[in-house]
Amino acid sequence: MTYVRHALTDDLETLPRMPTWVTSTRAETLEDVAFLSGAALSHLHLVLGHEEVPQALLRDRLALRAAEACVAFSGRPERAGELRDTVYLLRPSDLPGPAGETYLAWRRAVERPVSIKALGRALPAFELGQIATWLDAGKGAPVTRATMALETVLREAPRADEAALILADAALAQALGWEHLVPLLAAGLKRADLRKRGDDLRLACHRALFSSAVEAVRLSADLACRAAHLKAVAPKLRAKGAGDAVEMFLTHDAVAPSALPLPDRAARRLCDRLVDLGAVRELTGRDTFRLYGV
């Protein structure tokens, strides 16, 4: 298995690496930070263009990080593990609670190509016309447009941090020509940054996008390697419905065995088999109510 992993890693060397001058340069002024954030976003743009990167899985995992940040901004204690439990173990009659709603909003925001209708699905508390106005609040370069969208929402709806960040990422995606929203801003900002305005907010957004773009490039390479390994071992799976199950792992941050298109016992055996093959990981550390992910 070690040989297989090394071979897959070698195959994925085609993914461009972030230049060291981008990650090693220290910048303080708005001009310098803007230059580095632009370089990092440009490099992420190249990486996202590679078919080896499991795009839906990457967005779903970044959505979890964004939701975790938004929950922390609101002063709630839930972190990634609890958010996963809330959403992936949710029964039809259950309510997700405030933290779960935040996570669901981010997941809905990344599921479909950016559009007013898709954003309305993620943010049902707001009218589509209001969403369209906020999304189009900014002009100019991509980060400037994202910052202006963020500032406009926070000024008009001061408690709508989650909506502001989703719409800012959506504005950024549109400006960069990305089909889908890629959650970047929330994980890189601090709570105090959301109360800034003007150049101070723009500087905070450039810093956030720089750090998040660098992390997204690293995560893209890691997920590309893991996805390639899962695809390589897939032919060894003999369970009926295994192909559809593999596709779920390639598009979702986490999967509960009960959600797989197999009988319960067969689903648990498949998950155990994939763990033995090193293709997926058990994410909870529990003996029951387990979740699995690439």
Side-chain angles (χ1 to χ4, degrees):
M1 185 176 298
T2 300
Y3 171 78
V4 172
R5 284 191 179 278
H6 286 168
L8 291 172
T9 301
D10 291 340
D11 289 342
L12 293 169
E13 287 298 317
T14 55
L15 286 180
R17 296 184 179 183
M18 184 76 73
T20 56
W21 64 262
V22 175
T23 55
S24 62
T25 302
R26 292 183 60 85
E28 298 297 333
T29 67
L30 175 57
E31 181 182 22
D32 290 342
V33 175
F35 176 76
L36 290 178
S37 73
L41 285 170
S42 178
H43 189 82
L44 176 59
H45 181 83
L46 291 176
V47 169
L48 294 178
H50 283 250
E51 63 180 12
E52 298 96 332
V53 178
Q55 306 279 347
L57 175 57
L58 173 66
R59 294 194 304 271
D60 208 32
R61 193 145 292 176
L62 290 174
L64 174 62
R65 295 185 180 185
E68 186 178 32
C70 286
V71 168
F73 292 155
S74 70
R76 297 190 62 86
E78 292 91 345
R79 293 300 177 260
E82 291 114 323
L83 292 175
R84 278 184 175 133
D85 284 353
T86 298
V87 169
Y88 288 102
L89 300 178
L90 191 69
R91 294 175 297 185
S93 60
D94 291 342
L95 295 175
E101 289 286 4
T102 295
Y103 186 19
L104 286 171
W106 278 102
R107 294 197 69 218
R108 290 169 184 147
V110 303
E111 282 175 349
R112 301 180 182 183
V114 176
S115 69
I116 301 303
K117 184 177 180 180
L119 291 169
R121 180 172 173 268
L123 302 169
F126 300 96
E127 298 290 337
L128 294 183
Q130 182 66 80
I131 289 173
T133 299
W134 282 337
L135 188 62
D136 199 34
K139 304 295 181 185
V143 179
T144 299
R145 289 175 60 178
T147 302
M148 291 180 69
L150 178 64
E151 183 171 355
T152 300
V153 178
L154 291 176
R155 183 178 62 249
E156 298 181 9
R159 296 186 179 182
D161 294 352
E162 167 193 319
L165 289 162
I166 287 176
L167 291 174
D169 275 330
L172 181 71
Q174 285 191 330
L176 292 171
W178 294 348
E179 185 177 10
H180 288 81
L181 183 157
V182 179
L184 294 174
L185 273 169
L189 289 170
K190 299 179 176 63
R191 186 177 185 179
D193 291 331
L194 299 180
R195 305 301 166 242
K196 295 177 179 177
R197 296 294 181 264
D199 285 349
D200 289 339
L201 180 60
R202 194 156 78 250
L203 177 60
C205 287
H206 276 298
R207 290 189 188 281
L209 289 169
F210 168 73
S211 62
S212 292
V214 170
E215 174 58 21
V217 168
R218 185 207 63 77
L219 183 59
S220 296
D222 179 59
L223 291 180
C225 185
R226 293 178 181 276
H229 182 55
L230 175 56
K231 292 175 183 178
V233 304
K236 300 179 181 180
L237 307 174
R238 304 188 183 282
K240 185 177 181 180
D244 291 336
V246 166
E247 185 60 27
M248 289 184 67
F249 283 112
L250 289 172
T251 54
H252 292 75
D253 167 69
V255 176
S258 60
L260 295 175
L262 292 89
D264 287 347
R265 185 174 297 179
R268 290 194 295 271
R269 283 200 303 265
L270 176 65
C271 291
D272 290 339
R273 174 67 170 150
L274 287 171
V275 170
D276 290 341
L277 291 169
V280 303
R281 298 167 292 162
E282 203 287 310
L283 301 173
T284 69
R286 297 188 296 251
D287 293 330
T288 57
F289 299 105
R290 289 181 160 187
L291 297 173
Y292 298 82
V294 170

